PDB file of all heavy atoms in Angstrom:
ATOM      1  N   ALA A 795    -239.410 134.599  64.452  1.00 96.00           N
ATOM      2  CA  ALA A 795    -240.054 135.556  65.332  1.00 96.00           C
ATOM      3  C   ALA A 795    -241.211 136.310  64.641  1.00 96.00           C
ATOM      4  O   ALA A 795    -242.244 136.554  65.247  1.00 96.00           O
ATOM      5  CB  ALA A 795    -239.040 136.576  65.864  1.00 96.00           C
ATOM      6  N   ASP A 796    -240.974 136.656  63.371  1.00 96.00           N
ATOM      7  CA  ASP A 796    -242.004 137.471  62.705  1.00 96.00           C
ATOM      8  C   ASP A 796    -241.752 137.445  61.211  1.00 96.00           C
ATOM      9  O   ASP A 796    -240.960 136.678  60.684  1.00 96.00           O
ATOM     10  CB  ASP A 796    -241.970 138.899  63.259  1.00 96.00           C
ATOM     11  CG  ASP A 796    -240.594 139.529  63.078  1.00 96.00           C
ATOM     12  OD1 ASP A 796    -239.736 138.947  62.305  1.00 96.00           O
ATOM     13  OD2 ASP A 796    -240.280 140.538  63.734  1.00 96.00           O
ATOM     14  N   GLU A 797    -242.464 138.311  60.482  1.00 97.00           N
ATOM     15  CA  GLU A 797    -242.396 138.328  59.030  1.00 97.00           C
ATOM     16  C   GLU A 797    -241.036 138.818  58.512  1.00 97.00           C
ATOM     17  O   GLU A 797    -240.564 138.419  57.436  1.00 97.00           O
ATOM     18  CB  GLU A 797    -243.540 139.212  58.455  1.00 97.00           C
ATOM     19  CG  GLU A 797    -244.929 138.578  58.556  1.00 97.00           C
ATOM     20  CD  GLU A 797    -245.490 138.628  59.988  1.00 97.00           C
ATOM     21  OE1 GLU A 797    -245.046 139.460  60.790  1.00 97.00           O
ATOM     22  OE2 GLU A 797    -246.344 137.780  60.322  1.00 97.00           O
ATOM     23  N   GLU A 798    -240.362 139.703  59.276  1.00 95.00           N
ATOM     24  CA  GLU A 798    -239.029 140.139  58.858  1.00 95.00           C
ATOM     25  C   GLU A 798    -238.065 138.949  58.880  1.00 95.00           C
ATOM     26  O   GLU A 798    -237.227 138.756  57.994  1.00 95.00           O
ATOM     27  CB  GLU A 798    -238.493 141.237  59.736  1.00 95.00           C
ATOM     28  CG  GLU A 798    -239.233 142.573  59.685  1.00 95.00           C
ATOM     29  CD  GLU A 798    -239.398 143.117  58.273  1.00 95.00           C
ATOM     30  OE1 GLU A 798    -238.550 142.834  57.406  1.00 95.00           O
ATOM     31  OE2 GLU A 798    -240.401 143.823  58.049  1.00 95.00           O
ATOM     32  N   GLU A 799    -238.220 138.132  59.907  1.00 96.00           N
ATOM     33  CA  GLU A 799    -237.379 136.906  59.967  1.00 96.00           C
ATOM     34  C   GLU A 799    -237.756 135.905  58.889  1.00 96.00           C
ATOM     35  O   GLU A 799    -236.907 135.136  58.409  1.00 96.00           O
ATOM     36  CB  GLU A 799    -237.434 136.286  61.358  1.00 96.00           C
ATOM     37  CG  GLU A 799    -236.608 137.079  62.349  1.00 96.00           C
ATOM     38  CD  GLU A 799    -236.246 136.295  63.612  1.00 96.00           C
ATOM     39  OE1 GLU A 799    -236.428 135.036  63.654  1.00 96.00           O
ATOM     40  OE2 GLU A 799    -235.777 136.949  64.564  1.00 96.00           O
ATOM     41  N   LEU A 800    -239.011 135.952  58.458  1.00 97.00           N
ATOM     42  CA  LEU A 800    -239.400 135.094  57.355  1.00 97.00           C
ATOM     43  C   LEU A 800    -238.668 135.502  56.089  1.00 97.00           C
ATOM     44  O   LEU A 800    -238.190 134.679  55.304  1.00 97.00           O
ATOM     45  CB  LEU A 800    -240.947 135.118  57.143  1.00 97.00           C
ATOM     46  CG  LEU A 800    -241.477 134.323  55.950  1.00 97.00           C
ATOM     47  CD1 LEU A 800    -241.078 132.824  56.060  1.00 97.00           C
ATOM     48  CD2 LEU A 800    -242.996 134.441  55.880  1.00 97.00           C
ATOM     49  N   GLN A 801    -238.562 136.834  55.893  1.00 97.00           N
ATOM     50  CA  GLN A 801    -237.796 137.300  54.702  1.00 97.00           C
ATOM     51  C   GLN A 801    -236.306 136.867  54.777  1.00 97.00           C
ATOM     52  O   GLN A 801    -235.716 136.432  53.803  1.00 97.00           O
ATOM     53  CB  GLN A 801    -237.927 138.812  54.527  1.00 97.00           C
ATOM     54  CG  GLN A 801    -237.163 139.290  53.285  1.00 97.00           C
ATOM     55  CD  GLN A 801    -237.506 140.710  52.869  1.00 97.00           C
ATOM     56  OE1 GLN A 801    -238.565 141.248  53.220  1.00 97.00           O
ATOM     57  NE2 GLN A 801    -236.622 141.331  52.082  1.00 97.00           N
ATOM     58  N   SER A 802    -235.764 136.939  56.009  1.00 96.00           N
ATOM     59  CA  SER A 802    -234.378 136.489  56.178  1.00 96.00           C
ATOM     60  C   SER A 802    -234.234 134.997  55.936  1.00 96.00           C
ATOM     61  O   SER A 802    -233.257 134.532  55.374  1.00 96.00           O
ATOM     62  CB  SER A 802    -233.887 136.760  57.609  1.00 96.00           C
ATOM     63  OG  SER A 802    -233.880 138.131  57.845  1.00 96.00           O
ATOM     64  N   TRP A 803    -235.268 134.256  56.367  1.00 97.00           N
ATOM     65  CA  TRP A 803    -235.254 132.777  56.090  1.00 97.00           C
ATOM     66  C   TRP A 803    -235.213 132.513  54.602  1.00 97.00           C
ATOM     67  O   TRP A 803    -234.433 131.718  54.095  1.00 97.00           O
ATOM     68  CB  TRP A 803    -236.468 132.142  56.760  1.00 97.00           C
ATOM     69  CG  TRP A 803    -236.564 130.686  56.382  1.00 97.00           C
ATOM     70  CD1 TRP A 803    -235.911 129.645  57.016  1.00 97.00           C
ATOM     71  CD2 TRP A 803    -237.275 130.105  55.282  1.00 97.00           C
ATOM     72  NE1 TRP A 803    -236.179 128.447  56.342  1.00 97.00           N
ATOM     73  CE2 TRP A 803    -237.016 128.725  55.274  1.00 97.00           C
ATOM     74  CE3 TRP A 803    -238.088 130.639  54.303  1.00 97.00           C
ATOM     75  CZ2 TRP A 803    -237.578 127.857  54.344  1.00 97.00           C
ATOM     76  CZ3 TRP A 803    -238.646 129.786  53.360  1.00 97.00           C
ATOM     77  CH2 TRP A 803    -238.403 128.417  53.397  1.00 97.00           C
ATOM     78  N   LEU A 804    -236.083 133.258  53.879  1.00 97.00           N
ATOM     79  CA  LEU A 804    -236.134 133.083  52.402  1.00 97.00           C
ATOM     80  C   LEU A 804    -234.748 133.434  51.786  1.00 97.00           C
ATOM     81  O   LEU A 804    -234.242 132.681  50.970  1.00 97.00           O
ATOM     82  CB  LEU A 804    -237.193 134.018  51.827  1.00 97.00           C
ATOM     83  CG  LEU A 804    -237.281 134.133  50.301  1.00 97.00           C
ATOM     84  CD1 LEU A 804    -237.688 132.806  49.691  1.00 97.00           C
ATOM     85  CD2 LEU A 804    -238.280 135.218  49.861  1.00 97.00           C
ATOM     86  N   LEU A 805    -234.203 134.516  52.273  1.00 96.00           N
ATOM     87  CA  LEU A 805    -232.891 134.958  51.791  1.00 96.00           C
ATOM     88  C   LEU A 805    -231.854 133.870  52.063  1.00 96.00           C
ATOM     89  O   LEU A 805    -231.010 133.548  51.156  1.00 96.00           O
ATOM     90  CB  LEU A 805    -232.525 136.234  52.544  1.00 96.00           C
ATOM     91  CG  LEU A 805    -231.523 137.166  51.930  1.00 96.00           C
ATOM     92  CD1 LEU A 805    -232.126 137.798  50.686  1.00 96.00           C
ATOM     93  CD2 LEU A 805    -231.149 138.254  52.912  1.00 96.00           C
ATOM     94  N   LYS A 806    -231.883 133.291  53.218  1.00 96.00           N
ATOM     95  CA  LYS A 806    -230.856 132.285  53.561  1.00 96.00           C
ATOM     96  C   LYS A 806    -231.003 131.042  52.692  1.00 96.00           C
ATOM     97  O   LYS A 806    -230.005 130.394  52.358  1.00 96.00           O
ATOM     98  CB  LYS A 806    -230.933 131.936  55.046  1.00 96.00           C
ATOM     99  CG  LYS A 806    -230.307 132.976  55.917  1.00 96.00           C
ATOM    100  CD  LYS A 806    -230.418 132.614  57.399  1.00 96.00           C
ATOM    101  CE  LYS A 806    -229.789 133.637  58.277  1.00 96.00           C
ATOM    102  NZ  LYS A 806    -230.269 133.555  59.659  1.00 96.00           N
ATOM    103  N   GLU A 807    -232.273 130.634  52.426  1.00 97.00           N
ATOM    104  CA  GLU A 807    -232.491 129.519  51.491  1.00 97.00           C
ATOM    105  C   GLU A 807    -231.810 129.827  50.133  1.00 97.00           C
ATOM    106  O   GLU A 807    -231.183 128.966  49.535  1.00 97.00           O
ATOM    107  CB  GLU A 807    -233.993 129.327  51.250  1.00 97.00           C
ATOM    108  CG  GLU A 807    -234.724 128.614  52.360  1.00 97.00           C
ATOM    109  CD  GLU A 807    -234.210 127.223  52.608  1.00 97.00           C
ATOM    110  OE1 GLU A 807    -234.315 126.386  51.710  1.00 97.00           O
ATOM    111  OE2 GLU A 807    -233.637 126.978  53.726  1.00 97.00           O
ATOM    112  N   LEU A 808    -231.985 131.071  49.703  1.00 96.00           N
ATOM    113  CA  LEU A 808    -231.445 131.428  48.400  1.00 96.00           C
ATOM    114  C   LEU A 808    -229.914 131.586  48.452  1.00 96.00           C
ATOM    115  O   LEU A 808    -229.205 131.308  47.508  1.00 96.00           O
ATOM    116  CB  LEU A 808    -232.113 132.704  47.884  1.00 96.00           C
ATOM    117  CG  LEU A 808    -233.639 132.513  47.676  1.00 96.00           C
ATOM    118  CD1 LEU A 808    -234.306 133.814  47.354  1.00 96.00           C
ATOM    119  CD2 LEU A 808    -233.900 131.499  46.544  1.00 96.00           C
ATOM    120  N   ILE A 809    -229.404 132.048  49.606  1.00 95.00           N
ATOM    121  CA  ILE A 809    -227.964 132.137  49.738  1.00 95.00           C
ATOM    122  C   ILE A 809    -227.328 130.730  49.612  1.00 95.00           C
ATOM    123  O   ILE A 809    -226.339 130.553  48.925  1.00 95.00           O
ATOM    124  CB  ILE A 809    -227.561 132.749  51.126  1.00 95.00           C
ATOM    125  CG1 ILE A 809    -227.918 134.261  51.158  1.00 95.00           C
ATOM    126  CG2 ILE A 809    -226.082 132.540  51.411  1.00 95.00           C
ATOM    127  CD1 ILE A 809    -227.677 134.895  52.487  1.00 95.00           C
ATOM    128  N   LYS A 810    -227.978 129.732  50.262  1.00 96.00           N
ATOM    129  CA  LYS A 810    -227.462 128.391  50.172  1.00 96.00           C
ATOM    130  C   LYS A 810    -227.410 127.911  48.710  1.00 96.00           C
ATOM    131  O   LYS A 810    -226.456 127.315  48.255  1.00 96.00           O
ATOM    132  CB  LYS A 810    -228.369 127.413  50.972  1.00 96.00           C
ATOM    133  CG  LYS A 810    -228.022 127.323  52.444  1.00 96.00           C
ATOM    134  CD  LYS A 810    -228.817 126.174  53.111  1.00 96.00           C
ATOM    135  CE  LYS A 810    -230.086 126.717  53.737  1.00 96.00           C
ATOM    136  NZ  LYS A 810    -231.019 125.728  54.277  1.00 96.00           N
ATOM    137  N   HIS A 811    -228.505 128.232  48.015  1.00 97.00           N
ATOM    138  CA  HIS A 811    -228.620 127.821  46.621  1.00 97.00           C
ATOM    139  C   HIS A 811    -227.565 128.558  45.766  1.00 97.00           C
ATOM    140  O   HIS A 811    -226.858 127.935  44.954  1.00 97.00           O
ATOM    141  CB  HIS A 811    -230.012 128.077  46.081  1.00 97.00           C
ATOM    142  CG  HIS A 811    -230.197 127.616  44.676  1.00 97.00           C
ATOM    143  ND1 HIS A 811    -230.160 126.287  44.312  1.00 97.00           N
ATOM    144  CD2 HIS A 811    -230.447 128.321  43.565  1.00 97.00           C
ATOM    145  CE1 HIS A 811    -230.349 126.199  43.005  1.00 97.00           C
ATOM    146  NE2 HIS A 811    -230.494 127.419  42.503  1.00 97.00           N
ATOM    147  N   LEU A 812    -227.440 129.861  46.001  1.00 96.00           N
ATOM    148  CA  LEU A 812    -226.499 130.641  45.208  1.00 96.00           C
ATOM    149  C   LEU A 812    -225.062 130.192  45.467  1.00 96.00           C
ATOM    150  O   LEU A 812    -224.196 130.279  44.584  1.00 96.00           O
ATOM    151  CB  LEU A 812    -226.650 132.150  45.489  1.00 96.00           C
ATOM    152  CG  LEU A 812    -227.910 132.784  44.863  1.00 96.00           C
ATOM    153  CD1 LEU A 812    -228.066 134.186  45.352  1.00 96.00           C
ATOM    154  CD2 LEU A 812    -227.824 132.740  43.353  1.00 96.00           C
ATOM    155  N   LYS A 813    -224.816 129.727  46.689  1.00 95.00           N
ATOM    156  CA  LYS A 813    -223.476 129.239  47.001  1.00 95.00           C
ATOM    157  C   LYS A 813    -223.106 128.042  46.096  1.00 95.00           C
ATOM    158  O   LYS A 813    -221.973 127.960  45.645  1.00 95.00           O
ATOM    159  CB  LYS A 813    -223.443 128.796  48.464  1.00 95.00           C
ATOM    160  CG  LYS A 813    -222.150 129.168  49.176  1.00 95.00           C
ATOM    161  CD  LYS A 813    -222.262 128.872  50.602  1.00 95.00           C
ATOM    162  CE  LYS A 813    -221.242 129.667  51.397  1.00 95.00           C
ATOM    163  NZ  LYS A 813    -221.482 129.487  52.834  1.00 95.00           N
ATOM    164  N   THR A 814    -224.064 127.186  45.844  1.00 96.00           N
ATOM    165  CA  THR A 814    -223.798 126.036  44.972  1.00 96.00           C
ATOM    166  C   THR A 814    -223.520 126.542  43.534  1.00 96.00           C
ATOM    167  O   THR A 814    -222.936 125.827  42.755  1.00 96.00           O
ATOM    168  CB  THR A 814    -224.985 125.029  44.925  1.00 96.00           C
ATOM    169  OG1 THR A 814    -226.086 125.660  44.265  1.00 96.00           O
ATOM    170  CG2 THR A 814    -225.421 124.575  46.316  1.00 96.00           C
ATOM    171  N   LEU A 815    -223.971 127.732  43.236  1.00 96.00           N
ATOM    172  CA  LEU A 815    -223.715 128.320  41.895  1.00 96.00           C
ATOM    173  C   LEU A 815    -222.535 129.281  41.955  1.00 96.00           C
ATOM    174  O   LEU A 815    -222.248 130.001  40.987  1.00 96.00           O
ATOM    175  CB  LEU A 815    -224.927 129.079  41.418  1.00 96.00           C
ATOM    176  CG  LEU A 815    -226.266 128.287  41.363  1.00 96.00           C
ATOM    177  CD1 LEU A 815    -227.462 129.202  41.133  1.00 96.00           C
ATOM    178  CD2 LEU A 815    -226.183 127.241  40.266  1.00 96.00           C
ATOM    179  N   ASN A 816    -221.813 129.284  43.096  1.00 96.00           N
ATOM    180  CA  ASN A 816    -220.605 130.089  43.244  1.00 96.00           C
ATOM    181  C   ASN A 816    -220.885 131.605  43.250  1.00 96.00           C
ATOM    182  O   ASN A 816    -220.075 132.381  42.757  1.00 96.00           O
ATOM    183  CB  ASN A 816    -219.645 129.816  42.106  1.00 96.00           C
ATOM    184  CG  ASN A 816    -218.429 129.144  42.616  1.00 96.00           C
ATOM    185  OD1 ASN A 816    -218.042 129.383  43.773  1.00 96.00           O
ATOM    186  ND2 ASN A 816    -217.816 128.316  41.791  1.00 96.00           N
ATOM    187  N   LYS A 817    -221.991 131.994  43.809  1.00 97.00           N
ATOM    188  CA  LYS A 817    -222.375 133.436  43.795  1.00 97.00           C
ATOM    189  C   LYS A 817    -222.509 133.949  45.245  1.00 97.00           C
ATOM    190  O   LYS A 817    -222.975 133.275  46.102  1.00 97.00           O
ATOM    191  CB  LYS A 817    -223.709 133.663  43.116  1.00 97.00           C
ATOM    192  CG  LYS A 817    -223.803 133.173  41.680  1.00 97.00           C
ATOM    193  CD  LYS A 817    -222.925 133.981  40.777  1.00 97.00           C
ATOM    194  CE  LYS A 817    -222.933 133.397  39.370  1.00 97.00           C
ATOM    195  NZ  LYS A 817    -221.875 133.931  38.531  1.00 97.00           N
ATOM    196  N   THR A 818    -222.134 135.202  45.399  1.00 97.00           N
ATOM    197  CA  THR A 818    -222.361 135.931  46.632  1.00 97.00           C
ATOM    198  C   THR A 818    -223.570 136.818  46.476  1.00 97.00           C
ATOM    199  O   THR A 818    -223.724 137.471  45.450  1.00 97.00           O
ATOM    200  CB  THR A 818    -221.103 136.792  46.968  1.00 97.00           C
ATOM    201  OG1 THR A 818    -220.015 135.910  47.171  1.00 97.00           O
ATOM    202  CG2 THR A 818    -221.345 137.617  48.221  1.00 97.00           C
ATOM    203  N   LEU A 819    -224.396 136.849  47.474  1.00 97.00           N
ATOM    204  CA  LEU A 819    -225.642 137.586  47.410  1.00 97.00           C
ATOM    205  C   LEU A 819    -225.461 139.033  47.874  1.00 97.00           C
ATOM    206  O   LEU A 819    -224.753 139.309  48.845  1.00 97.00           O
ATOM    207  CB  LEU A 819    -226.682 136.891  48.249  1.00 97.00           C
ATOM    208  CG  LEU A 819    -228.125 137.388  48.192  1.00 97.00           C
ATOM    209  CD1 LEU A 819    -229.068 136.238  48.253  1.00 97.00           C
ATOM    210  CD2 LEU A 819    -228.388 138.349  49.318  1.00 97.00           C
ATOM    211  N   ILE A 820    -226.117 139.931  47.161  1.00 98.00           N
ATOM    212  CA  ILE A 820    -226.198 141.339  47.587  1.00 98.00           C
ATOM    213  C   ILE A 820    -227.627 141.702  47.817  1.00 98.00           C
ATOM    214  O   ILE A 820    -228.527 141.195  47.056  1.00 98.00           O
ATOM    215  CB  ILE A 820    -225.576 142.277  46.504  1.00 98.00           C
ATOM    216  CG1 ILE A 820    -224.132 141.895  46.192  1.00 98.00           C
ATOM    217  CG2 ILE A 820    -225.661 143.730  46.951  1.00 98.00           C
ATOM    218  CD1 ILE A 820    -223.493 142.723  45.093  1.00 98.00           C
ATOM    219  N   GLY A 821    -227.950 142.525  48.805  1.00 98.00           N
ATOM    220  CA  GLY A 821    -229.330 142.955  49.007  1.00 98.00           C
ATOM    221  C   GLY A 821    -229.352 144.395  49.460  1.00 98.00           C
ATOM    222  O   GLY A 821    -228.386 144.926  50.032  1.00 98.00           O
ATOM    223  N   TRP A 822    -230.500 145.031  49.283  1.00 98.00           N
ATOM    224  CA  TRP A 822    -230.697 146.426  49.804  1.00 98.00           C
ATOM    225  C   TRP A 822    -230.734 146.384  51.343  1.00 98.00           C
ATOM    226  O   TRP A 822    -230.941 145.299  51.916  1.00 98.00           O
ATOM    227  CB  TRP A 822    -232.006 147.024  49.274  1.00 98.00           C
ATOM    228  CG  TRP A 822    -232.005 147.159  47.762  1.00 98.00           C
ATOM    229  CD1 TRP A 822    -232.728 146.430  46.856  1.00 98.00           C
ATOM    230  CD2 TRP A 822    -231.251 148.119  46.971  1.00 98.00           C
ATOM    231  NE1 TRP A 822    -232.493 146.827  45.583  1.00 98.00           N
ATOM    232  CE2 TRP A 822    -231.579 147.856  45.641  1.00 98.00           C
ATOM    233  CE3 TRP A 822    -230.334 149.114  47.282  1.00 98.00           C
ATOM    234  CZ2 TRP A 822    -231.052 148.609  44.555  1.00 98.00           C
ATOM    235  CZ3 TRP A 822    -229.798 149.847  46.212  1.00 98.00           C
ATOM    236  CH2 TRP A 822    -230.132 149.588  44.904  1.00 98.00           C
ATOM    237  N   ASP A 823    -230.563 147.507  51.986  1.00 97.00           N
ATOM    238  CA  ASP A 823    -230.341 147.475  53.446  1.00 97.00           C
ATOM    239  C   ASP A 823    -231.508 146.981  54.285  1.00 97.00           C
ATOM    240  O   ASP A 823    -231.322 146.652  55.448  1.00 97.00           O
ATOM    241  CB  ASP A 823    -229.756 148.813  53.966  1.00 97.00           C
ATOM    242  CG  ASP A 823    -230.697 150.007  53.802  1.00 97.00           C
ATOM    243  OD1 ASP A 823    -231.904 149.820  53.894  1.00 97.00           O
ATOM    244  OD2 ASP A 823    -230.155 151.133  53.649  1.00 97.00           O
ATOM    245  N   GLU A 824    -232.690 146.789  53.675  1.00 96.00           N
ATOM    246  CA  GLU A 824    -233.804 146.185  54.418  1.00 96.00           C
ATOM    247  C   GLU A 824    -233.460 144.809  54.885  1.00 96.00           C
ATOM    248  O   GLU A 824    -234.036 144.300  55.846  1.00 96.00           O
ATOM    249  CB  GLU A 824    -235.061 146.109  53.556  1.00 96.00           C
ATOM    250  CG  GLU A 824    -235.812 147.416  53.371  1.00 96.00           C
ATOM    251  CD  GLU A 824    -235.376 148.211  52.158  1.00 96.00           C
ATOM    252  OE1 GLU A 824    -234.206 148.008  51.734  1.00 96.00           O
ATOM    253  OE2 GLU A 824    -236.176 149.023  51.674  1.00 96.00           O
ATOM    254  N   ILE A 825    -232.493 144.138  54.212  1.00 95.00           N
ATOM    255  CA  ILE A 825    -232.176 142.765  54.621  1.00 95.00           C
ATOM    256  C   ILE A 825    -231.629 142.765  56.047  1.00 95.00           C
ATOM    257  O   ILE A 825    -231.684 141.724  56.724  1.00 95.00           O
ATOM    258  CB  ILE A 825    -231.218 142.036  53.658  1.00 95.00           C
ATOM    259  CG1 ILE A 825    -229.819 142.678  53.598  1.00 95.00           C
ATOM    260  CG2 ILE A 825    -231.821 141.937  52.268  1.00 95.00           C
ATOM    261  CD1 ILE A 825    -228.815 141.853  52.808  1.00 95.00           C
ATOM    262  N   LEU A 826    -231.125 143.891  56.520  1.00 95.00           N
ATOM    263  CA  LEU A 826    -230.640 143.962  57.935  1.00 95.00           C
ATOM    264  C   LEU A 826    -231.750 144.054  58.938  1.00 95.00           C
ATOM    265  O   LEU A 826    -231.521 143.932  60.150  1.00 95.00           O
ATOM    266  CB  LEU A 826    -229.647 145.156  58.103  1.00 95.00           C
ATOM    267  CG  LEU A 826    -228.339 145.066  57.348  1.00 95.00           C
ATOM    268  CD1 LEU A 826    -227.514 146.331  57.639  1.00 95.00           C
ATOM    269  CD2 LEU A 826    -227.538 143.798  57.758  1.00 95.00           C
TER     270      LEU A 826
END
Side-chain angles (χ1 to χ4, degrees):
D796 56 16
E797 289 73 24
E798 294 307 331
E799 284 198 11
L800 177 57
Q801 181 165 340
S802 297
W803 173 85
L804 172 65
L805 202 68
K806 282 180 180 160
E807 283 299 296
L808 297 171
I809 289 175
K810 274 190 266 174
H811 182 66
L812 286 173
K813 220 174 200 172
T814 68
L815 304 168
N816 247 331
K817 302 292 176 194
T818 297
L819 187 143
I820 303 178
W822 298 109
D823 64 32
E824 283 92 334
I825 65 173
L826 292 180

